[in-house]
Amino acid sequence: MDTIKNIISYQTAEYGYIRVKLADVMHDRGITRNRLRKITGIKYDVITRYYKGECIERADLDFLAKVCFVLNCKIEDLLEYIPPES
C-alpha cells in the first residue's frame, strides 16, 4: 500500500497532468478540425478545445471514442500522462 498516495492536499504541480495530443494525431493523419467535425458530427468548438488542449476539466468518453474510431487510433495516441517534475 506504500505506492498509493493521498492526493487531497496535493497541487497539480505535485501530481502531474494529462496532455491531449489530438492536434498531433490530426496533423499526422492530414485531417483538419472542420473535416473532423463533418465526419463525426461533433461541434467545432468542442473539437477546438481538445485540439488546443484548453478548458478541458472532464474527459468526454463519447468524444474520445468517436475520434479514435474515425482517426483509427488508440486512446493512448490522444492522451498522455505527464508526471510531476522531480
Side-chain angles (χ1 to χ4, degrees):
M1 279 283 218
D2 293 336
T3 61
I4 297 175
K5 300 174 185 170
N6 181 347
I7 65 167
I8 300 298
S9 63
Y10 282 71
Q11 300 297 318
T12 304
E14 296 174 298
Y15 60 79
Y17 65 96
I18 303 295
R19 182 171 85 88
V20 180
K21 304 184 295 184
L22 178 60
D24 298 338
V25 176
M26 289 175 61
H27 183 289
D28 291 346
R29 305 282 196 287
I31 189 167
T32 64
R33 285 178 276 175
N34 195 45
R35 178 79 176 130
L36 186 61
R37 179 192 62 79
K38 288 179 182 177
I39 58 181
T40 61
I42 299 168
K43 292 181 181 180
Y44 187 83
D45 64 318
V46 173
I47 292 171
T48 297
R49 274 190 287 136
Y50 280 86
Y51 184 87
K52 293 181 177 181
E54 299 173 348
C55 302
I56 304 169
E57 293 180 12
R58 299 198 187 327
D60 181 339
L61 299 181
D62 186 55
F63 170 85
L64 293 171
K66 285 179 181 180
V67 170
C68 285
F69 179 78
V70 168
L71 298 180
N72 192 30
C73 66
K74 297 179 180 180
I75 193 69
E76 56 266 25
D77 296 330
L78 298 176
L79 303 174
E80 176 184 12
Y81 170 66
I82 307 296
E85 294 182 13
S86 299

